[in-house]
Every structure is written in structure tokens, then in C-alpha cells.
Amino acid sequence: MQDAQPADAGTRERTAVVAGLGAWVPHGVVTNDELARVLDTSDEWIRSRTGIGRRHVVSPGESTGDLAVEAGRRALASAAANGGDRTADAVVLATSTPDRPCPATAPEVASRLGLGGVAAFDISAVCSGFVYALGVSGALITSGAAERVLVVGADTFSTILDPGDRTTRAVFGDGAGAVLLRAGQPTERGALRGLTLGSDGTRSDLIQVPGGGSRLRSAGEPARDADAYFTMAGRPVFGQAVRRMADSVRASAAELGWAVSDVDRVVLHQANARITAAVADRLDLPVDRFPSNIGQVGNTVAASIPLALADAAQEGVLRPGHRVVLCGFGGGLTWGALGLVWPQVKPV
Ligand code: COA
């Protein structure tokens, strides 16, 4: 464990610093046994292949925006509890399940949080969405365009899964997490640094919702129900996830001037417990440095990293002074990572 950023981190540069953290999952819970009552699957199969025991799902009429508002409210409260202001001058929402295809969901979230006429927009990078949103929000702050940005990751994949698909229904759950960023110095705890982002659009077919966009609509073919559902090629995605996340953690650590072995906690997108174990193996790090809550929430897409952060901080697995790398991978394909020394911030 390290107490401070390296001395060469610079002192005058304006940087985004984590000031608050909030998390929220809907009340509904679906256990593996409940899935096994309606699909050809079992608790044993799901646990052994994914590490997942249950997942949260929205109630009828509940939306991604509803979850985002709750998580955002909590991140603002967390910042206030840690001595900061309960305000933001921009809202950036990472989601692939917006309330409607158009307009973005973020403006409504900002209004419902009482933030007034602030800048607000969505980011679409599936399970990498939160890392992309942190990167873009950090740039809003370093450029001087914003002082405080509320960054939310929220998804309700239960609304786009094929009810008959035992694989995706076993893996995905709903949730939201949020971080409040403020302007600060790179030498402070909580300063976001070492951002690395990437994509490979030649593999866009591996994770997709085929319908609902311009490609099929312009073809003029009648909409098929199946095209509205999320599809995933599990095996190739698994291999890509392991390789891309291990490479991203290495690249981000190098950018930060840290040896990989010096990283205290790696908070990965919670895709599958076996993916986490394989990334740990590739990086030659003990798996207990990878906080995990996948057993309780499944893969919550853009919410996954902030939810894992909140649970780890709540349980004391993630402590102030830890050198942390956050890393995501998802549809697009997209991936990314960044690092920080964990600050004195308690989640709400
Ligand atoms: N219950 C029982 N059997 C299931 C099942 C379920 N819930 N889901 C799939 N199976 C079956 C398959 O139909 C297949 O049967 P077959 O051999 O008769 O055809 C068998 O299990 C093996 O399927 P496969 O897809 O090869 O399993 P897997 O070990 O790769 O595990 C995933 C499937 C989805 C759990 C795994 O591939 C995975 O986690 N991939 C990455 C997913 C991910 O991270 N996505 C998000 C990226 S951001």
C-alpha cells in the first residue's frame, strides 16, 4: 500500500479528482434457482461458469434513468459527507439501455437531480462505458469547461434480454453507480491518471442488439422481435476480454509509472469470475487484489465498475492510499483503464 502519488506526478496541472461515490440496485432479485425454474439451467452451472449467484432486476415501468438518479443522488451526498459541495456543472451518463433511443437520458437525470441547466449527455460504450465516461469527464475538467462532473454508469439489460436465452439471462443484471469528479491537482489522492482507451470495430458483431438502428431500418425490412434482443458470442468475447483487460491494466500502470506488482487493487468490469481469475493470472497478481461483487449483482454493464468500487470501499477491501487501476471491456469492441490512489471517500 502506498500513501501518496509519486513525486514526479506534477503539482500545477489541473486534474479530475474523485470526490464522491454512490451506488444503487433495484429491489427485484432473481436467484439462479429462480432462473432454473423457467430455463434449462442450474445454480451449479451458473456459479461454476460465471461466479454469479443472483442479480437485481427493475420492476415494471422502472428505467435506467430512475436507477441513474438514485446513484447520482448518492454520489452527490457522498461528496457532501466528505466535506465537498453537493453540486455538479455537467452530467455524463454511460449507458447502452437509455430510457428512449432519442433523446439522451442524461438531461432528464440532471433535471431530476435539481442540477439546473447543466451540460448533460450519454456515452455509449457498453461495458467499457464507465471508463470512457471518466475519461471524457476528466477532459471536461482539465480543459476548464467544468469544475465538477457527475459521472454515472447505469444499465437495465433485463429489458433487452431474450427471455428464452439461458446464457445472457444468467450473466446480466441491472444497476447504477456514480462518481462525482471535481477539479484538483495530480498529486492529490483521488486524481485520475494513466488513461488508456481502445476499440476494435471489426468485432462489433460479437456483442450487439441488431435492430432498432439505421442499418436495419433503412433496409425497409419489417422489424423482427428477435432483433430487439441483446446477443453475445460468449466464447470469443471471453478470450478478448481477458487479453484486452490484461493489456489495458499493464498500459495504464506503465503510464502511471507503477510496476504492475505495485498495484494494490484492480477493479475490473465484472463480466465473469473466470475472466477476472484469468486476467489476474496473466498479470501475475494474486486474485485477492481484484475486488469482486459479481456473485451478488452479475454483470451490470456500465454500472459494474462503480458498483464494485462502492462495495469494495464499504467492505474495507478498498482503502484510502491503495494504488488502484480501474479497467473495462465491452461491446464495440471497446476497452480502457485508468488509475488513482484511493482517496478518503466513503460511498453512500
Ligand atoms: N445453463 C446451462 N447450460 C448453458 C447455459 C446456462 N445458463 N448457458 C450456456 N449453456 C450451455 C451452452 O448451450 C453449451 O451447450 P452445448 O455444449 O450443448 O452447445 C455449453 O453450455 C457451453 O457453452 P459455452 O458458451 O461454450 O460456455 P462457456 O463456458 O463459454 O460460458 C459464458 C458461457 C457466457 C458464461 C462465457 O462464455 C462468458 O462469460 N463469456 C464472456 C461474457 C461476457 O463477459 N460478456 C460481457 C462482456 S463485457
Side-chain angles (χ1 to χ4, degrees):
M1 193 198 295
Q2 301 290 324
D3 285 326
Q5 297 268 21
D8 62 2
T11 50
R12 294 197 165 275
E13 247 175 277
R14 187 180 156 98
T15 308
V17 176
V18 171
L21 172 63
W24 179 252
V25 287
H27 294 300
V29 171
V30 177
T31 64
N32 293 346
D33 286 333
E34 283 169 308
L35 275 185
R37 269 182 231 132
V38 291
L39 294 166
D40 182 15
T41 187
S42 65
D43 179 57
E44 195 281 327
W45 192 96
I46 299 172
R47 275 184 202 279
S48 62
R49 298 292 182 112
T50 69
I52 298 167
R54 63 196 191 122
R55 70 286 298 143
H56 291 258
V57 295
V58 286
S59 309
E62 197 175 17
S63 76
T64 296
D66 295 337
L67 305 188
V69 167
E70 287 300 333
R73 205 188 307 282
R74 282 166 168 72
L76 291 166
S78 157
N82 292 300
D85 291 334
R86 209 186 168 290
T87 61
D89 44 14
V91 173
V92 179
L93 171 64
T95 188
S96 312
T97 47
D99 287 7
R100 291 165 282 174
C102 168
T105 304
E108 209 176 308
V109 171
S111 293
R112 289 173 64 188
L113 287 170
L115 295 174
V118 299
F121 57 95
D122 292 0
I123 284 192
S124 174
V126 202
C127 297
S128 310
F130 196 73
V131 174
Y132 267 74
L134 285 176
V136 169
S137 303
L140 285 175
I141 287 176
T142 53
S143 71
E147 288 297 314
R148 306 168 72 80
V149 182
L150 182 62
V151 190
V152 188
D155 268 303
T156 52
F157 261 47
S158 69
T159 63
I160 59 167
L161 300 180
D162 177 347
D165 183 350
R166 61 183 176 173
T167 307
T168 54
R169 282 196 65 194
V171 169
F172 292 93
D174 302 338
V179 156
L180 185 73
L181 297 180
R182 63 164 171 83
Q185 299 293 311
T187 45
E188 288 184 65
R189 282 186 180 182
L192 296 180
R193 298 167 51 233
L195 176 69
T196 156
L197 298 172
S199 76
D200 177 6
T202 67
R203 314 306 305 275
S204 63
D205 59 321
L206 295 182
I207 294 173
Q208 63 168 324
V209 178
S214 59
R215 177 76 64 204
L216 285 192
R217 281 170 195 259
S218 71
E221 288 163 22
R224 295 186 317 145
D225 285 352
D227 289 335
Y229 293 132
F230 173 83
T231 65
M232 176 178 75
R235 277 280 165 97
V237 166
F238 193 107
Q240 285 279 336
V242 172
R243 184 160 72 88
R244 297 300 187 182
M245 286 203 282
D247 289 351
S248 296
V249 172
R250 264 198 210 98
S252 184
E255 191 74 25
L256 284 150
W258 299 346
V260 170
S261 55
D262 288 339
V263 177
D264 299 300
R265 296 291 178 264
V266 182
V267 181
L268 291 187
H269 163 55
Q270 305 284 294
N272 181 322
R274 289 190 298 138
I275 289 176
T276 300
V279 172
D281 195 50
R282 272 200 177 212
L283 293 172
D284 205 17
L285 287 175
V287 79
D288 61 11
R289 291 198 200 172
F290 293 68
S292 174
N293 62 354
I294 196 168
Q296 293 74 50
V297 297
N299 178 344
T300 55
V301 194
S304 156
I305 289 176
L307 276 181
L309 278 175
D311 281 348
Q314 201 83 56
E315 288 159 12
V317 172
L318 174 62
R319 295 185 290 278
H322 272 155
R323 288 180 166 195
V324 189
V325 174
L326 315 180
C327 179
F329 167 86
L333 299 174
T334 53
W335 55 85
L338 43 68
L340 70 163
V341 175
W342 191 251
Q344 195 75 42
V345 163
K346 284 208 170 75
V348 173

